[in-house]
Amino acid sequence: MKSKPDYILKIGGSLLTDKASRETFSPQLDRVIETISRNPDGVVIHGAGSFGHPHASEHNLHRGSREGALETHRAVKKLNSEIIKRLHRKGVKAFPVHPSSASLRRPETEIMTRQILKMYEEGFTPVLHGDGIVTEDEGFTVLSGDEILALLEKKFDTGHAGFCTSEKGVLNSDREVVDKINSMENFEGLKMEGEDVTGGMENKVREVLEKNIQASIFGQDDLENFLSGENPGTTVK
Ligand code: IPE
């Protein structure tokens, strides 16, 4: 029985779903599933992609609204069930964990890590996802898969956390992968004037630096390398 997951992996919603069309799986979903099935000894988190984001933004879920909470959860649960089903077909004992029933924001985010670790120790692969969660203050908010990764890595200290994204890593203005990032200033310095070449990476970099952990950011072609213990793409620390 292993006491610590080998890795904490977050797979971006844009890899798993077709962002251009609602509640649609991407053509590469099965390749990602297949790669994970060859090394399932970790904790997997997936994004919401075209399942969760449209509902969350239509209802301003991140601003404490109640409207859209059920719809968002229904949609991300549908994506999660499909991922779980496909992992089962590949022989992975994937166990769904829905953050809406396991976390609270007050305003710091609490997530039930004991159950997740215990599931892992019992031989399962916990599979979490970005979700709408309740706040102690008022209404619901969005808990992203990026924050879940940082929270779990902070708690479990696997030393091997990674974001598999639609880019090969954090890119500089020449679209080359940057090896290391160790501060927000460092990250901001990569941007060209008036242009956000690094796009959705900011949230990942901020989560990692704020929680004082280490994580890799890499593309789908490097997923296998990450799962076998390497640190491909950009290392944020
Ligand atoms: C967002 O999760 C969760 C909701 C919109 C409910 P993520 O931020 O982790 O999703 P992706 O990876 O961007 O799709």
Side-chain angles (χ1 to χ4, degrees), residues 10-17 19 45-57 61 68-69 72-73 76 79 129-133 141-148 163-164 200 203-204:
K10 192 244 165 164
I11 312 157
S14 55
L15 272 184
L16 305 171
T17 72
K19 282 227 166 172
I45 304 150
H46 62 80
S50 70
F51 284 73
H53 281 293
H55 299 292
S57 60
L61 201 59
T72 304
H73 181 66
V76 289
L79 173 61
H129 52 86
D131 205 352
I133 63 164
T141 189
V142 167
L143 173 61
S144 71
D146 296 352
E147 188 180 347
I148 300 174
F163 299 92
C164 185
N203 202 32
K204 295 173 179 47

Side-chain angles (χ1 to χ4, degrees), residues 31-43:
R31 212 184 117 206
V32 172
I33 301 281
E34 160 77 35
T35 310
I36 294 173
S37 73
R38 282 186 254 130
N39 186 353
D41 284 346
V43 175

Side-chain angles (χ1 to χ4, degrees), residues 158-174:
T158 67
H160 200 53
F163 299 92
C164 185
T165 73
S166 43
E167 299 284 3
K168 290 184 158 80
V170 177
L171 306 179
N172 64 19
S173 51
D174 293 327

